[in-house]
């Protein structure tokens, strides 16, 4: 199955056009993204497909960030506090998202697939700065406040 066929199937599943374009572009340079796209097309389970979409989005971000500055250094002793800080930040942001139409609305405004947003809010992992900035723009939030020092 080639990228064009996979992208057409993604379009039929109503994934955002920006996501599909970024996935195809990244897949032409990074085989791992192409492999995930092939895995997506062969998967029948909707939840598994959503997880694969979220993985593709993560890889797109990682590939975009490859030439940019390194992630912030965090001391091992600070990990627990940073994790709690991230969780509290995401919970607060999710509250704002819910007040502004929910994840589906945010997905439409940011062109980030809803499964990726769900994973973003349900994990305690450090967020990608580009994701935070897209959310800030969509919700008309102060980008300075939302782009925290531990974002990668």
């Amino acid at each position: 199955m080639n990228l064009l066929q996979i992208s057409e199937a993604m379009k039929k599943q109503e994934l955002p056009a920006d996501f599909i374009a970024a996935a195809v572009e990244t897949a032409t340079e990074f085989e791992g993204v192409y492999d995930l796209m092939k895995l997506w097309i062969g998967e029948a389970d909707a939840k598994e497909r959503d997880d694969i979409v979220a993985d593709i989005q993560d890889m797109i971000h990682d590939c975009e960030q490859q030439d940019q500055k390194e992630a912030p250094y965090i001391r091992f002793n600070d990990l627990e506090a940073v994790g709690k800080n991230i969780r509290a930040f995401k919970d607060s942001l999710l509250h704002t998202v819910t007040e502004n139409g929910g994840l589906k609305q945010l997905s439409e405004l940011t062109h980030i697939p809803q499964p990726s947003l769900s994973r973003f809010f349900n994990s305690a992992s450090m967020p990608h700065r580009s994701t935070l900035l897209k959310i800030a723009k969509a919700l008309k939030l102060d980008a300075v406040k939302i782009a925290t020092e531990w974002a990668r």
Side-chain angles (χ1 to χ4, degrees), residues 105-123:
Q105 176 72 19
L106 183 62
S107 176
E108 291 170 6
L109 292 171
T110 60
H111 304 287
I112 298 172
Q114 195 169 341
S116 297
L117 289 172
S118 293
R119 178 183 277 181
F120 169 86
F121 283 107
N122 289 321
S123 75

Side-chain angles (χ1 to χ4, degrees), residues 15-93:
L15 291 173
D18 290 354
F19 166 77
I20 297 169
V24 169
E25 181 180 342
T26 307
T28 61
E29 295 182 40
F30 298 95
E31 190 175 337
V33 176
Y34 178 61
D35 290 342
L36 282 172
M37 290 175 76
K38 288 192 307 188
L39 187 63
W40 180 88
I41 196 74
E43 183 57 60
D45 182 77
K47 184 182 177 338
E48 286 297 319
R49 271 191 159 189
D50 286 350
D51 287 344
I52 295 167
V53 166
D55 289 341
I56 292 169
Q57 183 69 50
D58 286 346
M59 287 190 77
I60 291 168
H61 280 295
D62 289 345
C63 292
E64 288 172 349
Q65 302 298 318
Q66 217 171 22
D67 294 330
Q68 296 181 5
K69 79 174 202 178
E70 290 184 30
Y73 176 77
I74 299 172
R75 293 187 348 217
F76 181 76
N77 293 344
D78 296 336
L79 286 177
E80 187 174 338
V82 170
K84 287 179 183 176
N85 186 317
I86 292 170
R87 183 72 266 147
F89 171 79
K90 287 184 175 184
D91 289 345
S92 173
L93 184 58

